[in-house]
Amino acid sequence: QVQLEVSGGGSVQAGGSLRLSCAASGNLYSFRRYCVAWFREAHGKQREAVAAIERDGTTSYADSVKDRFTISKDNDKSTMYLQMNSLKPEDTAMYYCAAEYLCMDPVTGRLGTARWYSNWGQGTQVAVSS
């Protein structure tokens, strides 16, 4: 188990950028073995996967954020990131980081759901105004 702490949310105008960070503590050996993901939960909607990165560096993105968001993981700093560019009002949500041993379907590459994850950071609010 690891503890995850999220930072970097805020308010931005449409077209702007934000970078979210998620720092791990606790069992950092496990963190190196985990794949990691970002989720978001808009008001009144279910938590959805936004992006994930496997241990080998393979990434997967939700169609709604593809080519705008970039996920990365720095094992030396025990930190994961989500760079969000060209933000849209529909990106407004609470964003969460998560870590687990499996983040994508190994056959299809599809992002796993929130139920797959046992390690979660607290949420950070991202608000995009038009």
Side-chain angles (χ1 to χ4, degrees):
Q1 293 284 327
V2 294
Q3 291 75 49
L4 302 173
E5 184 172 354
V6 181
S7 61
S11 299
V12 65
Q13 288 192 326
S17 298
L18 284 173
R19 189 175 82 154
L20 306 182
S21 299
C22 177
S25 60
N27 192 336
L28 299 183
Y29 173 75
S30 289
F31 182 74
R32 288 178 173 268
R33 298 173 61 205
Y34 283 140
C35 56
V36 294
W38 288 94
F39 284 76
R40 66 186 181 188
E41 188 171 326
H43 182 67
K45 295 187 177 181
Q46 286 190 329
R47 190 171 298 189
E48 64 173 354
V50 172
I53 182 168
E54 290 284 0
R55 286 174 291 172
D56 65 0
T58 302
T59 58
S60 183
Y61 296 91
D63 288 342
S64 58
V65 306
K66 202 168 292 183
D67 299 325
R68 298 189 298 120
F69 289 13
T70 302
I71 186 172
S72 60
K73 183 187 182 197
D74 187 332
N75 284 323
D76 291 337
K77 295 183 178 179
S78 300
T79 303
M80 57 189 284
Y81 305 94
L82 184 68
Q83 178 65 43
M84 304 184 293
N85 298 330
S86 303
L87 282 161
K88 304 176 180 179
E90 50 263 44
D91 295 318
T92 296
M94 190 73 77
Y95 283 72
Y96 300 86
C97 62
E100 197 46 78
Y101 289 114
L102 182 66
C103 297
M104 305 175 203
D105 185 298
V107 175
T108 67
R110 291 182 62 181
L111 292 166
T113 67
R115 293 176 62 184
W116 290 29
Y117 294 82
S118 57
N119 300 283
W120 288 91
Q122 86 288 4
T124 187
Q125 182 67 44
V126 171
V128 185
S129 58
S130 56

